[in-house]
Amino acid sequence: MTQVTPQLARSAWGSLETLHVVAYFAPEVQQAYDRFGVPATRAGYFAARSSAFGAADPALVVATFYVFSPDLVARAVPAVWAAGTPEEWAAARRDAVAAALHRVLGEPDVAEALELAREACAGLGAAGRPLYAAWSGADWPEDPLLQLWHAGLLVREHRGDGHVTALMAAGLDPVEALVTGGLASDSTDFVRTTRGWSDAEWTAGEQRCRDRGLVDDGGLTDAGRALRAEVEATTDRLAVTGWAHLGANGTQRLVELLAPLRGRLLASGLLPDWIRARG
């Protein structure tokens, strides 16, 4: 094996992603955010994820997070910066993730996996990747398991920036992206209830998708499935860079090393059903 294919790159991302998404679902993380006392919905998510920018303006969060309602963002930002500094929000997430990962996984030996993951991260580039660029300057944690999570953060944000590019190239605005993406991944209920769009905004987005022939009463049409496949294929192509730097053998080895950790997290009940279903 000499070439990193988009499919192999996607598999490696998925392996690290299972560790990274603990930050979005572990009760330890929400409890850490609650201590800041900001009542706005998803305040901690916006604060911690954007903290690498510094005290980000709401418009910057809207631009880089893409699929969230500007009204939802505005209710949380900049209120979160009055409750804590960006560094405090980032530390709260980091420490809570460490607690959650060690609760589920214990003290696994991740030395080889970490070496490979860090080498992949060394091949990532910042051009056109604003969220990744911001996080690329953050210090690596000291705890090895948390370092592996941090590698997942860098890979996720690099890939996510490319995904936004792919959505825009496909002509999908934020709500259209959620409507079609939710149907494609069986996560409609989750994205509809967490991204902050009103019923009227959601219905209007669905209608735009219908007008484009992407959605009908049965869900995604053939055209809709083809467009979502194009978005994912573009995202995959744009995300090969770091894995190409690591090389195909190293990338495949990382997938193998992460499989037991990934399996334990998926079996733990910590993650929602739609993530567990996609394996």
Side-chain angles (χ1 to χ4, degrees):
M1 183 184 297
T2 59
Q3 183 180 9
V4 176
T5 64
Q7 292 75 22
L8 177 57
R10 185 182 185 89
S11 179
W13 157 72
S15 297
L16 277 175
E17 176 74 350
T18 305
L19 274 75
H20 179 70
V21 296
V22 166
Y24 307 125
F25 300 106
E28 291 92 336
V29 177
Q30 188 56 54
Q31 290 163 9
Y33 294 161
D34 288 345
R35 288 194 284 271
F36 287 91
V38 182
T41 301
R42 299 188 72 78
Y45 171 88
F46 293 127
R49 192 175 170 212
S50 69
S51 61
F53 287 129
D57 182 270
L60 179 57
V61 177
V62 169
T64 52
F65 288 28
Y66 195 66
V67 293
F68 287 89
S69 161
D71 289 341
L72 182 67
V73 173
R75 288 193 288 272
V77 180
V80 291
W81 310 131
T85 66
E87 293 79 11
E88 289 169 337
W89 282 101
R93 177 172 73 162
R94 182 190 63 232
D95 294 346
V97 166
L101 286 174
H102 284 290
R103 172 171 61 83
V104 176
L105 300 176
E107 301 290 340
D109 180 0
V110 297
E112 184 182 357
L114 181 56
E115 181 180 358
L116 294 170
R118 291 194 65 153
E119 185 62 25
C121 290
L124 299 174
R129 314 272 184 163
L131 261 174
Y132 165 76
W135 279 107
S136 67
D139 293 335
W140 284 77
E142 293 184 6
D143 174 64
L145 187 56
L146 197 58
Q147 285 188 49
L148 198 58
W149 173 83
H150 185 76
L153 180 157
L154 296 177
V155 168
R156 176 192 175 91
E157 298 300 11
H158 185 275
R159 181 184 175 88
D161 287 332
H163 187 60
V164 170
T165 297
L167 290 170
M168 294 177 68
L172 291 169
D173 68 31
V175 180
E176 294 165 1
L178 292 172
V179 169
T180 57
L183 290 170
S185 62
D186 195 27
S187 61
T188 296
D189 289 344
F190 175 77
V191 297
R192 184 167 184 175
T193 57
T194 59
R195 271 43 180 172
W197 301 95
S198 69
D199 288 345
E201 290 167 328
W202 187 271
T203 298
E206 284 184 323
Q207 187 58 53
R208 292 193 298 276
C209 291
R210 287 176 179 270
D211 293 343
R212 293 178 61 180
L214 303 176
V215 171
D216 61 19
D217 290 341
L220 287 175
T221 63
D222 288 344
R225 284 187 288 273
L227 186 62
R228 288 304 312 193
E230 176 187 329
V231 166
E232 295 305 316
T234 299
T235 303
D236 289 341
R237 287 195 301 272
L238 294 174
V240 167
T241 309
W243 306 112
H245 176 79
L246 175 60
N249 290 335
T251 301
Q252 184 60 53
R253 177 59 176 161
L254 180 60
V255 172
E256 294 167 359
L257 289 168
L258 292 177
L261 302 181
R262 189 167 185 252
R264 289 171 65 183
L265 283 167
L266 290 172
S268 70
L270 186 64
L271 304 178
D273 290 342
W274 62 271
I275 288 182
R276 295 201 300 272
R278 72 187 186 189

